[in-house]
Amino acid sequence: MALKPPVCRGMKELDRSAFALTLAVVALRVPVKSIGQIKTDLADDVLRIPKLRNVVDATTKTHKMVLLKPSISISLGEASDRLRALVHEHNWEPTMHDIHLAYDNWTADDILKSVLPDSSQAPTSYEQIGHIAHMNLRDEYLEYRSVIGQVILDKSPTVTMVVNKLDTIDNTFRNFKMEVLAGTQDFMARVRENDSVFEFDYSKVYWNSRLHPEHERLVSEFAKGSSICDVMAGVGPFAIPAAKKGALVWANDLNPASFEAMGNNVKLNKVASRVTPFNMDGRDFIQHAFTEYYKQTAKGSSSLAPLPRCNAGKRAAKPEDPIVIASRSFDHVVMNLPAIALEFLDAFRGLFYRMTGNSTHSGDINLPTIHTHCFTKSDEPEKDILMRACRALGYPEDQYKELTARVHYVRKVAPKKDMYCLSLVLPESVAYATDAEVGSKRKTDEDSDAQSEDCKLQKTD
């Protein structure tokens, strides 16, 4: 039988004393020398409750009382064959012993299932950002948010504040409103990820700890000596680890708070010589970054100096060689704004034509791989994402299979909504499209949008 705390249905403010419980369990009086063997061999029979000892004093110093699970009766009929054999062999005497349980002995799941109307589930999952537990409570739990927040705070040793998300992420600055459910209000978070440290005001910027594997995966694709254009960089989860790996990074974010935090994190991680932060609109940044980078590289390749060493007390290692950055254009572009990032692909139409003044590809200028995060609800996610990318790029939709691209599944964000990362090499025909071709495509897109709007109006009429 599963041990449960007293039922306190409908509790809106936490009363820890309400979860006290006294229970009689079976105990075996055994010699002290046998305790280790019992706890190892009979692990499935021994009582296991958080913050409660399962071995207590007996009446003599030579013996101890080993407490058994509540499901085992005095007859030991529910115990394992091994336990019954040892009891018979050593003539251990079973007896009853009272245990006193309190709030501290129950898990968050135990407490909340005894409080909430539906005892089959409890909202105990949360994302942790430094000392902050971020919850996303469903509507039916909102009237219990005070007790939920306090329980999560009590049962999570590294959490000092619990917050609840109040609305959707704002697409402009990628932040959202939240309320403090429990703990001391302090939104300044410090997070360690991918051998880097990030500090930021969580109430003003975007951070998602669940994207740690995606940050790590994408950075692993950046070679030492590569150049990165991070268009929606946030506080630097791609930019800073990439720089530590040996990449040159130009990183941008429209949100002033993210830009400020990124600049601080660049200094904190000692990569200021490799990361240049910007605070611009994404499309403007793409045009600016590619144009300026192309001008700078016209003078020849550049190099990155070795990063400062932190182990000054150890014997000096062999000096590292400078890292050569040889590409004339960025090797990789990162656009991590899943709600609308695909739309920003239109900024690459004719970009290299405007940048170089040439309508044909020059062999010494590399075309970047663009990593675009996006959402889809389609039953054919790869096709849906590639078709949307074609529309934004001005690339023929019926030729979407000819793109040099791959679609990587990142995570599920809702029952019918998944996050993916599209990695595609910028097509030459898109990069070097002339102003006339770009204008013609834009006119076609506008006409198509107008027709779609007319159809909607006709259906409404």
Side-chain angles (χ1 to χ4, degrees):
M1 106 182 143
L3 199 57
K4 299 179 181 180
V7 174
C8 302
R9 273 313 153 237
M11 181 182 287
K12 303 294 178 61
E13 295 296 330
L14 184 61
D15 177 6
R16 296 176 181 82
S17 65
F19 301 97
L21 178 68
T22 298
L23 183 71
V25 297
V26 176
L28 294 179
R29 184 175 179 274
V30 301
V32 172
K33 64 181 181 181
S34 301
I35 297 297
Q37 178 190 7
I38 292 174
K39 295 183 73 170
T40 301
D41 295 352
L42 305 176
D44 291 339
D45 295 292
V46 174
L47 178 71
R48 294 191 182 279
I49 295 177
K51 298 183 179 180
L52 186 72
R53 295 175 56 197
N54 53 18
V55 176
V56 298
D57 292 337
T59 53
T60 64
K61 292 184 179 180
T62 58
H63 287 70
K64 293 283 186 180
M65 304 292 288
V66 178
L67 309 183
L68 304 182
K69 295 191 302 186
S71 58
I72 298 177
S73 64
I74 193 71
S75 67
L76 305 182
E78 301 81 3
S80 65
D81 292 341
R82 175 63 175 160
L83 184 144
R84 291 198 299 271
L86 287 173
V87 169
H88 179 74
E89 178 182 351
H90 299 288
N91 198 28
W92 291 339
E93 179 185 353
T95 186
M96 300 305 295
H97 179 84
D98 284 344
I99 57 173
H100 303 284
L101 304 178
Y103 175 79
D104 288 346
N105 300 120
W106 308 110
T107 65
D109 192 66
D110 292 332
I111 296 292
L112 294 179
K113 283 182 177 179
S114 76
V115 169
L116 300 174
D118 185 355
S119 62
S120 65
Q121 56 185 335
T124 56
S125 63
Y126 57 85
E127 176 193 358
Q128 187 163 348
I129 307 93
H131 64 279
I132 304 168
H134 165 218
M135 307 191 76
N136 191 6
L137 295 178
R138 299 202 301 263
D139 290 345
E140 61 264 35
Y141 294 132
L142 292 181
E143 62 180 312
Y144 301 96
R145 58 182 177 269
S146 176
V147 67
I148 291 172
Q150 191 60 56
V151 170
I152 295 299
L153 181 68
D154 290 344
K155 302 298 180 179
S156 309
T158 58
V159 169
T160 61
M161 181 175 74
V162 183
V163 300
N164 180 46
K165 180 179 177 181
L166 290 179
D167 58 8
T168 57
I169 293 175
D170 176 82
N171 285 336
T172 303
F173 288 162
R174 291 197 293 178
N175 49 24
F176 51 84
K177 294 180 180 178
M178 62 186 86
E179 60 178 339
V180 177
L181 301 183
T184 304
Q185 182 168 317
D186 176 13
F187 286 100
M188 287 303 301
R190 182 181 176 92
V191 178
R192 292 185 178 274
E193 181 182 283
N194 291 338
D195 296 323
S196 303
V197 180
F198 301 92
E199 294 181 349
F200 48 85
D201 185 334
Y202 185 54
S203 68
K204 296 180 180 179
V205 306
Y206 177 79
W207 179 273
N208 190 335
S209 297
R210 295 186 178 97
L211 290 178
H212 177 189
E214 177 61 7
H215 297 155
E216 188 172 32
R217 180 194 72 85
L218 199 52
V219 170
S220 71
E221 298 193 8
F222 303 154
K224 188 176 184 179
S226 59
S227 53
I228 315 296
C229 176
D230 193 348
V231 183
M232 298 100 173
V235 301
F238 290 110
I240 290 171
K244 286 191 170 185
K245 189 177 178 180
L248 174 68
V249 186
W250 288 19
N252 172 72
D253 203 274
L254 179 63
N255 183 347
S258 296
F259 168 72
E260 181 181 0
M262 175 168 54
N264 292 335
N265 290 328
V266 165
K267 296 174 185 175
L268 182 64
N269 289 277
K270 304 184 186 304
V271 290
S273 63
R274 299 182 179 183
V275 180
T276 305
F278 295 83
N279 180 211
M280 301 174 64
D281 169 77
R283 287 183 176 85
D284 293 342
F285 173 66
I286 291 169
Q287 179 70 47
H288 171 80
F290 273 83
T291 301
E292 290 302 312
Y293 186 88
Y294 179 68
K295 290 178 181 178
Q296 291 184 19
T297 56
K299 304 172 184 176
S301 61
S302 60
S303 61
L304 301 178
L307 295 177
R309 293 187 176 276
C310 300
N311 55 346
K314 297 182 180 180
R315 188 170 63 179
K318 180 181 178 181
E320 295 181 7
D321 294 329
I323 301 171
V324 177
I325 308 294
S327 57
R328 288 298 315 274
S329 170
F330 288 105
D331 297 301
H332 297 273
V333 178
V334 181
M335 298 201 296
N336 180 28
L337 184 59
I340 58 174
L342 281 175
E343 300 171 18
F344 282 75
L345 289 172
D346 65 2
F348 293 91
R349 295 181 189 173
L351 176 62
F352 279 57
Y353 170 73
R354 296 189 297 275
M355 187 173 82
T356 65
N358 299 321
S359 59
T360 55
H361 184 209
S362 174
D364 67 331
I365 303 176
N366 57 294
L367 292 169
T369 299
I370 308 172
H371 308 277
T372 309
H373 291 92
C374 55
F375 296 133
T376 182
K377 297 180 180 180
S378 174
D379 293 332
E380 298 181 278
E382 183 169 339
K383 180 179 179 180
D384 172 62
I385 292 167
L386 289 172
M387 295 283 279
R388 287 158 60 195
C390 286
R391 286 195 288 273
L393 289 166
Y395 189 85
E397 292 180 40
D398 58 355
Q399 298 176 29
Y400 75 92
K401 291 184 179 179
E402 297 180 18
L403 289 171
T404 303
R406 54 191 170 85
V407 178
H408 173 80
Y409 173 80
V410 177
R411 61 185 287 262
K412 181 172 287 295
V413 296
K416 294 183 179 180
K417 183 178 180 181
D418 296 322
M419 179 178 174
Y420 285 83
C421 179
L422 168 65
S423 297
L424 78 134
V425 177
L426 179 62
E428 180 180 335
S429 61
V430 174
Y432 287 92
T434 64
D435 290 343
E437 291 170 329
V438 171
S440 175
K441 175 60 182 171
R442 185 176 292 114
K443 179 67 167 57
T444 301
D445 289 346
E446 290 173 353
D447 290 344
S448 177
D449 291 342
Q451 289 176 5
S452 298
E453 191 62 31
D454 287 343
C455 289
K456 290 179 181 177
L457 290 172
Q458 289 173 11
K459 288 181 180 179
T460 302
D461 294 343

